Amino acid sequence: MPKEMFPSSFECDCGHQSDFSENTVREMKTMSQKKKVYLADSAPEEHTIVFYRGKMVAIQCPKHLPSRETKKSSPKSRPSTKRATTRGIPDEVKTDVAAIVQHFNTTVIRDPHCVYVPRYKGKFLYLDRQDYGRLHPICRLEYTRNMQKWSFAIYKYSDEQYDAEEWFFSRGGTRRWHD
């Protein structure tokens, strides 16, 4: 069970300890009153502390994916055998995406404390933005087996969900996320 250690440290089940300033933790708890807020540490194996309603509710550990919170909230189903083939994103595409995101971070953003971070689940690529240790969801891209065309959904903080119908871009043209 992850635990909070007064005044501003957190320990994961794996034994990793994340330390932050007291002001940062206080600010995160305040921001989390109405929505989940994520605070990432800067360790080589990055852990993310999840706050909700003013408290730490989970630690996202790179060694334990999916998180315990995700497992608890998932509906229980009968045991089944996994299919031999999955519809996830191929490793070659993930490598290309990593290069594109890294290129964008270094040539456009140019701030090592503010970067976009890709993560994957099944056929989805999630882009999060890490700002000075805080991780914020931005959008979800669905792999369509064509590197040039991905389905797009923006993360709405108002209801904490990804919405493919919400657009802040003009609707004209093809949905491309890179050239």
Side-chain angles (χ1 to χ4, degrees):
M1 179 97 174
K3 61 183 174 182
E4 181 174 356
M5 299 179 308
F6 184 79
S8 58
S9 296
F10 302 88
E11 185 175 358
C12 180
D13 292 341
C14 74
H16 175 83
Q17 184 173 324
S18 299
D19 302 302
F20 303 95
S21 75
E22 290 180 50
N23 287 338
T24 299
V25 172
R26 194 173 15 254
E27 183 180 316
M28 296 304 286
K29 287 181 176 182
T30 301
M31 290 171 50
S32 72
Q33 291 301 322
K34 295 185 180 181
K35 64 181 180 183
K36 286 184 183 174
V37 179
Y38 303 86
L39 176 62
D41 67 18
S42 59
E45 290 187 355
E46 184 176 90
H47 285 67
T48 302
I49 315 304
V50 183
F51 295 94
Y52 185 58
R53 295 188 176 162
K55 296 180 181 177
M56 184 269 301
V57 294
I59 296 179
Q60 295 175 346
C61 176
K63 296 177 184 175
H64 300 107
L65 296 175
S67 69
R68 289 179 179 262
E69 180 184 73
T70 304
K71 286 181 183 176
K72 286 180 184 176
S73 65
S74 299
K76 302 283 185 224
S77 62
R78 285 178 258 137
S80 64
T81 56
K82 284 209 168 211
R83 295 185 344 192
T85 58
T86 61
R87 294 190 164 275
I89 300 173
D91 289 339
E92 315 83 68
V93 174
K94 290 179 182 179
T95 301
D96 291 345
V97 166
I100 292 165
V101 172
Q102 180 63 28
H103 178 73
F104 183 83
N105 286 337
T106 56
T107 61
V108 177
I109 303 289
R110 292 189 222 168
D111 182 347
H113 301 290
C114 296
V115 294
Y116 285 92
V117 180
R119 61 185 166 89
Y120 304 92
K121 186 171 182 180
K123 63 182 177 179
F124 295 108
L125 157 63
Y126 294 88
L127 278 179
D128 299 327
R129 181 168 168 131
Q130 184 175 353
D131 289 310
Y132 294 90
R134 296 185 192 135
L135 201 60
H136 306 282
I138 300 296
C139 66
R140 179 186 69 202
L141 298 143
E142 182 179 355
Y143 183 60
T144 62
R145 304 213 178 274
N146 180 340
M147 186 64 174
Q148 302 303 316
K149 295 180 182 177
W150 296 66
S151 297
F152 178 85
I154 191 77
Y155 184 80
K156 290 176 55 179
Y157 283 89
S158 59
D159 58 8
E160 295 184 342
Q161 294 183 356
Y162 292 91
D163 187 349
E165 300 301 316
E166 185 71 32
W167 281 92
F168 59 88
F169 302 112
S170 69
R171 289 192 176 260
T174 305
R175 296 179 187 174
R176 288 183 151 187
W177 72 285
H178 82 289
D179 285 313

